[in-house]
Amino acid sequence: MTDAEAYVEGPAVRAARNVTDLTIIAQDPSVRSGPDKHILTARAKVPAARLEPGPRTPRFYVVDYDASTGTLVPAANLPPDSDLFAKADDKTLTTDFAFHAQQVYAVAARTLATFESALGRRLPWGFAGHQLYLVPHAFSEANAYYSFDDRALLFGYVPGGDDSTIYTCLSHDVVAHETTHAVLDGLRHHFLEPGLPDQAGFHEGFADIVALLSVFSLQEVVEVCLDLGSTTSRLSSDMTDENVLRTSVLTGVAEQLGDVLTQGRGALRRSALEQPPPDWSSLPAYQEPHRRGEILVAAVLEVLLDLWTRRLTALKSKRSGRAKPTVDRARAAEEGAKAAGHLLTMLIRGLDYLPPVEFEFDDLLDAVIRADEEVLPEDSLGYRKGLVEQFARFGIGRPPDTNRDLVSGAFPAHYATMNFTALRTAGDEVFRFMWENASLLGIDTDYHTHVEAVLATERVGPDGLVVRESVANYVQMLQLTAGELEKRAGIPLPADLDPTTTLQIFGGGTLVFDQFGRAKLHIVKRLDDWQRQVERARYLHDAGFYDRAGRLGFSFGGAAGQIFAELHSAGSDTGEVW
């Protein structure tokens, strides 16, 4: 077994012991295969759970209510031990609302399971509740979004050609994307608050990455899409060229809905096709979250394509009578699926090492590399190297390594009054640790400080070694006026920013404890980093993110629960949706 195989399969072993195979549309109804051009489907492994009509499980509740027509569709009653739609024809897949319920449930459950397997624990939602509502036909609109206030993923629908209807709930990419928004909200809730432009871009970019790599990890789907329409068992080496793979159907998001919103130009985003300009971070167009998020997607896809094509080189064989070498189709797909699963696991594991506030792209690269080093000391397959190199191409590096490594003798932490078991589970004990070691950690206790979560993790490396950690997140907050910020920072704010405007600013950090309760890592965004606070205030002011009371940094100024709805609608004018 290779490192990649062990790395992908190891953490998922326990999660995969109880699974149900359910039919899903692999991408969306516009992607078809075979001589009869049937909709491309796949059998998805979904964690087994007691199903009630809906379907309804401990984590999800499908409610098929259409707010546009005021119609409530009866709950779908899916059998717990079989797949009603294993042999369904295309008309059934596109018109049967019971299958639509199965599609949103299966893809959402599979996406959540991917996160939980990688992080080694159950994940909470960001709202107060245990079940995320999935509403497959929520409204007549070309949109889909996660609503914190509704505790729901809401999917729209629009008229298509030939009297048909395009349902966003039938797009694997869209469902996985919106589920990722909900999962990220549970992991880093403050990322939904006004911050630097990278923060909103991260939400959109990471959701796209999960959607794309989730499709890549379905081997049977990759096998079909390598040369859509062909049924031969061997592929010409031309079909596995990096540039051909880059233009593959696999690198697009939401092909069918993209055709509607972009007047037939195709998928909503094909980040691997267009390389951003070197000065992208300073260009107004890249302030838009979807466009900014594409930077992350492009970097990750470049890593995947590079690793995949290098692995395919060893599979190419030249047979007599043929001018060019060929590649076994199934093996090529297997290598792509392994690489995608490996990379997705790496990226998800890095989420625990992110700061809880003030996200920047540099933080993601640093977090992924650090988390991966914990379970895989040797980078024998070059995944970490590839990420560092590709991110560097887009001007993204690792932040300065200050006040982070706490395991060395240079950090004489005070543990005398600590309860080591409680340090791995209790916020009060973590706060006590922070209080006693505030000067060493660089934490200013004059600011309001709150430990928001202490979560135990258990990750399995390729050699079978179990890495047990506890991850604690704390947040600091301060309210002041723009004039006070300018005075503290000694840096001018925009002349048209009223100095009496109230600002809310954040700081905080992530503390990682080992299995014995000893602090090993501190990832911090200091509240008194006045340079960053001024940059944030400038951005929020220029973007007009004032709340109804005329304050900055409290909200985006939209209606409650409509952050993603408005974000997606605002991007639809240019085809930048989801």
Side-chain angles (χ1 to χ4, degrees):
M1 180 179 290
T2 67
D3 285 352
E5 290 173 90
Y7 187 86
V8 173
E9 295 172 2
V13 169
R14 280 169 294 174
R17 284 178 182 165
N18 267 322
V19 295
T20 300
D21 287 336
L22 292 176
T23 296
I24 61 170
I25 293 177
Q27 286 197 285
D28 70 33
S30 70
V31 181
R32 296 171 179 256
S33 66
D36 297 325
K37 298 297 181 183
H38 288 304
I39 293 172
L40 180 60
T41 61
R43 298 275 285 174
K45 294 189 178 300
V46 179
R50 184 176 68 84
L51 289 177
E52 291 188 358
R56 185 183 183 189
T57 71
R59 306 308 307 279
F60 299 99
Y61 190 173
V62 179
V63 179
D64 200 349
Y65 177 74
D66 186 341
S68 296
T69 62
T71 303
L72 178 64
V73 176
N77 194 3
L78 304 180
D81 54 357
S82 62
D83 181 2
L84 283 178
F85 302 98
K87 299 181 179 179
D89 58 26
D90 289 355
K91 183 177 180 181
T92 299
L93 297 178
T94 54
T95 62
D96 191 325
F97 280 14
F99 174 74
H100 296 194
Q102 175 167 304
Q103 172 83 4
V104 293
Y105 162 65
V107 176
R110 180 175 181 263
T111 303
L112 176 62
T114 299
F115 277 86
E116 292 185 335
S117 176
L119 293 173
R121 65 175 186 274
R122 299 292 188 194
L123 301 182
W125 301 120
F127 49 80
H130 304 293
Q131 293 170 313
L132 177 68
Y133 292 106
L134 307 174
V135 189
H137 313 103
F139 42 71
S140 178
E141 182 183 336
N143 204 350
Y145 59 88
Y146 162 62
S147 172
F148 168 83
D149 293 88
D150 295 319
R151 308 176 185 179
L153 304 185
L154 305 167
F155 300 93
Y157 58 90
V158 292
D162 302 323
D163 296 323
S164 63
T165 301
I166 296 175
Y167 298 99
T168 63
C169 68
L170 294 184
S171 169
H172 178 285
D173 298 324
V174 173
V175 178
H177 179 110
E178 299 308 330
T179 306
T180 299
H181 281 314
V183 173
L184 290 177
D185 186 31
L187 288 167
R188 292 291 184 272
H189 182 66
H190 290 283
F191 284 7
L192 289 186
E193 296 179 359
L196 292 166
D198 281 358
Q199 193 158 286
F202 165 73
H203 242 283
E204 293 302 321
F206 201 86
D208 271 356
I209 289 168
V210 172
L212 289 164
L213 295 186
S214 293
V215 173
F216 265 109
S217 64
L218 291 168
Q219 182 177 330
E220 67 270 34
V221 177
V222 179
E223 190 171 340
V224 171
C225 290
L226 275 172
D227 188 6
L228 206 60
S230 168
T231 58
T232 60
S233 62
R234 300 194 68 84
L235 300 170
S236 164
S237 60
D238 292 343
M239 297 306 302
T240 58
D241 177 79
E242 184 171 331
N243 290 325
V244 174
L245 293 174
R246 183 177 283 106
T247 58
S248 162
V249 67
L250 293 171
T251 55
V253 176
E255 284 80 3
Q256 186 183 53
L257 202 62
D259 276 335
V260 173
L261 295 177
T262 62
Q263 291 75 52
R265 294 195 303 275
L268 291 175
R269 286 188 293 286
R270 286 189 177 273
S271 303
L273 300 183
E274 298 181 10
Q275 297 300 305
D279 58 344
W280 62 266
S281 62
S282 62
L283 297 177
Y286 284 89
Q287 301 300 304
E288 197 279 322
H290 294 93
R291 195 70 180 274
R292 203 172 187 93
E294 285 193 1
I295 301 298
L296 290 181
V297 184
V300 170
L301 284 180
E302 285 297 326
V303 176
L304 175 61
L305 290 169
D306 177 63
L307 291 167
W308 190 10
T309 51
R310 283 199 282 115
R311 294 174 71 142
L312 289 177
T313 300
L315 300 180
K316 295 179 181 179
S317 62
K318 189 170 182 178
R319 294 184 176 182
S320 60
R322 291 185 176 177
K324 295 180 180 180
T326 60
V327 180
D328 181 79
R329 187 193 200 99
R331 283 294 311 278
E334 181 183 1
E335 293 298 333
K338 286 178 182 177
H342 186 129
L343 193 54
L344 182 56
T345 298
M346 282 181 66
L347 292 164
I348 292 174
R349 284 179 170 174
L351 297 176
D352 270 350
Y353 282 28
L354 290 179
V357 294
E358 302 296 343
F359 172 89
E360 296 171 271
F361 286 166
D362 293 358
D363 298 318
L364 178 64
L365 177 61
D366 186 65
V368 171
I369 299 303
R370 286 181 176 274
D372 193 63
E373 288 172 341
E374 289 292 322
V375 296
L376 191 65
E378 296 294 328
D379 186 30
S380 58
L381 297 176
Y383 282 79
R384 294 198 294 268
K385 181 175 179 290
L387 281 167
V388 171
E389 290 176 350
Q390 292 299 337
F391 273 61
R393 285 182 56 202
F394 299 115
I396 303 170
R398 299 178 71 179
D401 195 17
T402 58
N403 195 30
R404 287 172 173 257
D405 187 359
L406 308 183
V407 296
S408 67
F411 184 74
H414 177 74
Y415 290 101
T417 62
M418 302 295 124
N419 181 306
F420 287 96
T421 300
L423 271 178
R424 300 188 69 245
T425 57
D428 287 337
E429 198 67 15
V430 171
F431 184 79
R432 180 188 294 273
F433 172 83
M434 292 165 53
W435 185 271
E436 297 293 344
N437 297 283
S439 60
L440 290 170
L441 292 168
I443 297 174
D444 190 336
T445 53
D446 286 342
Y447 302 121
H448 171 73
T449 305
H450 177 224
V451 177
E452 295 192 320
V454 185
L455 302 170
T457 69
E458 185 177 284
R459 296 172 292 159
V460 182
D463 57 359
L465 181 67
V466 178
V467 177
R468 294 185 175 90
E469 297 175 335
S470 287
V471 181
N473 302 318
Y474 70 91
V475 173
Q476 295 185 305
M477 290 176 282
L478 175 67
Q479 290 186 27
L480 73 173
T481 66
E484 290 171 333
L485 173 59
E486 190 173 63
K487 183 177 180 180
R488 292 194 187 204
I491 303 171
L493 288 167
D496 59 343
L497 174 53
D498 187 339
T500 65
T501 300
T502 300
L503 293 168
Q504 179 170 251
I505 63 176
F506 294 96
T510 297
L511 278 165
V512 181
F513 296 88
D514 66 17
Q515 61 184 320
F516 304 109
R518 296 175 303 191
K520 61 189 290 187
L521 194 63
H522 183 212
I523 300 103
V524 61
K525 287 298 181 81
R526 294 179 63 94
L527 185 146
D528 56 5
D529 181 348
W530 303 117
Q531 175 71 43
R532 189 185 76 247
Q533 301 295 4
V534 167
E535 290 176 5
R536 175 174 177 267
R538 286 173 177 165
Y539 168 68
L540 297 180
H541 168 69
D542 291 343
F545 290 143
Y546 287 84
D547 69 4
R548 294 180 180 179
R551 305 176 301 177
L552 275 179
F554 289 81
S555 76
F556 289 98
Q562 298 295 297
I563 294 175
F564 289 107
E566 295 177 358
L567 179 63
H568 293 167
S569 295
S572 65
D573 294 337
T574 58
E576 306 288 347
V577 183
W578 299 299

